[in-house]
Amino acid sequence: MIRDTIKAAQVFAMKAGDKPRLAAVRLILAKLKDKDIELRTAAALPDDDVLVTDVLQKMAKQRRESITLYEQGGRQELADVEKAELAVIEEFLPQQMSEGDTRAAIAAIIAETGAAGMKDMGRVVAALKAKHGTQLDMGKASGLVKAALSA
């Protein structure tokens, strides 16, 4: 389980005295705890690895956006801190699908669902997320779905 790997990384970073890595790992664990608290009242809990992956993907997206903004604002030192956190976050994310594999998965789902045009985009994206959500950046994937359906 990914959560156990993250906890082990926290212990290892503590023993190694790696303060920046330890801070990033603690940040991940804090976000996971927040999500756990949020889901206490939920009727159905998602699989733990799916939950952890979802939190990590959101954190990675936030870091990428912050890096872009800091670099545009001329704050390279803050961008470097965000890049270091992003590197730690990406270590725990499952291997992402390549663009070719993503296009193949989209084509298969379009064939399965019988999607014909842009009106079916929601169904295709939902099916794609259900099957490959942990392995995809859904922002990029939705652009590929749109391109495939408009062709």
Side-chain angles (χ1 to χ4, degrees):
M1 289 177 52
I2 301 171
R3 190 182 299 251
D4 295 335
T5 306
I6 295 170
K7 287 179 183 176
Q10 179 186 21
V11 171
F12 187 75
M14 272 193 253
K15 288 181 179 178
D18 188 350
K19 290 186 194 281
R21 181 175 173 76
L22 179 60
V25 172
R26 282 183 172 159
L27 191 65
I28 293 169
L29 290 171
K31 287 286 187 190
L32 289 173
K33 188 161 185 78
D34 288 347
K35 191 66 171 181
D36 289 342
I37 291 169
E38 180 184 321
L39 291 175
R40 280 185 185 166
T41 58
L45 293 174
D47 179 51
D48 192 57
D49 279 352
V50 172
L51 174 83
V52 172
T53 302
D54 186 45
V55 169
L56 289 173
Q57 286 176 335
K58 286 179 182 171
M59 290 179 73
K61 181 180 178 192
Q62 289 171 339
R63 297 302 173 288
R64 287 187 195 101
E65 290 170 357
S66 295
I67 290 167
T68 303
L69 293 174
Y70 285 142
E71 287 176 344
Q72 289 172 353
R75 302 294 307 268
Q76 191 58 44
E77 68 281 357
L78 294 174
D80 292 340
V81 171
E82 294 288 324
K83 285 179 184 177
E85 287 180 4
L86 179 61
V88 173
I89 292 166
E90 286 178 338
E91 285 179 30
F92 300 111
L93 280 170
Q95 182 65 38
Q96 299 292 297
M97 290 175 69
S98 69
E99 188 171 331
D101 291 343
T102 303
R103 288 181 191 276
I106 290 169
I109 289 173
I110 288 173
E112 280 176 28
T113 59
M118 292 305 293
K119 64 181 173 43
D120 298 321
M121 184 171 169
R123 273 191 310 148
V124 174
V125 170
L128 187 65
K129 185 168 184 167
K131 284 187 178 181
H132 306 287
T134 60
Q135 302 167 322
L136 290 174
D137 176 358
M138 291 309 294
K140 292 177 185 173
S142 65
L144 294 173
V145 170
K146 189 174 188 176
L149 289 174
S150 65

